[in-house]
Amino acid sequence: MQRYFIYFSYDGANYHGWQIQPNGISVQEKLQTSLSLLLRTPLEVVGAGRTDAGVHARMMVAHFDCDASLDCGKLAYKLNKILPADISVEKVVPVESDMHARFSAKWRTYHYYIHTCKDPFVRNYSCELHYPLDFQAMNAAAACLLKQDDFASFCKAGADVKTTLCEVTAACWHQTSPHHWYFEITANRFLRNMVRAVVGTLIEVGRGRMTLQEFEQVIADKRRTSAGESMPGHALFLEQIDY
């Protein structure tokens, strides 16, 4: 059996997240169905992670196994012909059999986008906020994440995880225009709802509702109820996966 990696992107607005589920259309279902149709055999695709409903991916990776030798360029072309317009395959490449889309990934990077004035052109991919934010204070708080390893306070309550330990190597707000910003965070793994909860808590710091010391205490508490609200999913992008 030969293992293949598929590199692709998607607009998550019309999907109930990446993972196949009984009560909603998922990206995994669309990709798996299309691939099985083209190769005329039932196949399972395994993704690098699980994005939530409405979350987008500029880069996602999935793997599948096939006993046939495939023309990867032709397969990518055919997949793009039958997949919906909101899913785009960049390439299909053969990999070693021990490569795993999820477990072989070293780092993942997410961006969360916000804008502070009405902008009809980014409203579907950025969160509109109408209160002043202290980004210097937010970046000071974000820097604290690099010194921590337990992110239980930012994990969705009831999530089925064996550990809440993560290694965060980058966490910073970046300005792209007078009214547009994004938060970038890189880690070896992410907990369910983690990025949106981190951003929601940083927003509390930016609004002056939480001090830097209180932000540090939120992390130390290891309770989801201590952190801020989870931000909407439509402004979150999985940006990069490194192997």
Side-chain angles (χ1 to χ4, degrees), residues 108-128:
R108 297 166 174 84
T109 298
Y110 280 89
H111 287 181
Y112 193 91
Y113 293 84
I114 67 169
H115 55 290
T116 55
C117 70
K118 189 174 182 180
D119 187 338
F121 302 108
V122 300
R123 69 189 189 281
N124 294 325
Y125 305 102
S126 177
C127 184
E128 187 173 324

Side-chain angles (χ1 to χ4, degrees), residues 106-231:
K106 302 293 186 184
W107 306 103
R108 297 166 174 84
T109 298
Y110 280 89
H111 287 181
Y112 193 91
Y113 293 84
I114 67 169
H115 55 290
T116 55
C117 70
K118 189 174 182 180
D119 187 338
F121 302 108
V122 300
R123 69 189 189 281
N124 294 325
Y125 305 102
S126 177
C127 184
E128 187 173 324
L129 303 176
H130 290 287
Y131 33 75
L133 293 169
D134 184 343
F135 285 95
Q136 185 175 355
M138 291 160 68
N139 270 334
C144 298
L145 301 172
L146 278 63
K147 306 171 187 177
Q148 307 297 325
D149 57 9
D150 194 330
F151 292 86
S153 293
F154 306 112
C155 182
K156 186 172 183 177
D160 182 20
V161 293
K162 295 180 179 179
T163 176
T164 52
L165 299 180
C166 307
E167 182 183 356
V168 175
T169 60
C172 187
W173 287 92
H174 301 274
Q175 186 173 19
T176 59
S177 84
H179 301 288
H180 297 79
W181 298 74
Y182 70 88
F183 177 64
E184 180 177 62
I185 183 167
T186 300
N188 63 333
R189 64 189 293 266
F190 286 91
L191 308 172
R192 187 175 180 186
N193 210 230
M194 175 175 161
V195 180
R196 290 158 62 190
V198 166
V199 172
T201 312
L202 291 173
I203 293 294
E204 291 294 292
V205 175
R207 297 184 71 178
R209 294 181 171 184
M210 183 182 294
T211 66
L212 180 60
Q213 291 72 30
E214 289 171 336
F215 182 82
E216 293 175 326
Q217 187 59 48
V218 164
I219 301 173
D221 285 347
K222 301 180 183 179
R223 296 196 311 268
R224 179 64 186 92
T225 53
S226 297
E229 293 184 4
S230 177
M231 299 295 284

Side-chain angles (χ1 to χ4, degrees), residues 15-27:
Y15 300 100
H16 288 72
W18 158 256
Q19 190 175 20
I20 288 177
Q21 50 192 284
N23 301 317
I25 301 173
S26 69
V27 179

Side-chain angles (χ1 to χ4, degrees), residues 28-50:
Q28 184 183 25
E29 177 187 348
K30 288 293 186 181
L31 182 61
Q32 190 163 284
T33 299
S34 299
L35 189 62
S36 298
L37 177 65
L38 286 175
L39 298 181
R40 299 180 181 180
T41 184
L43 290 172
E44 178 185 7
V45 295
V46 178
R50 300 177 182 177

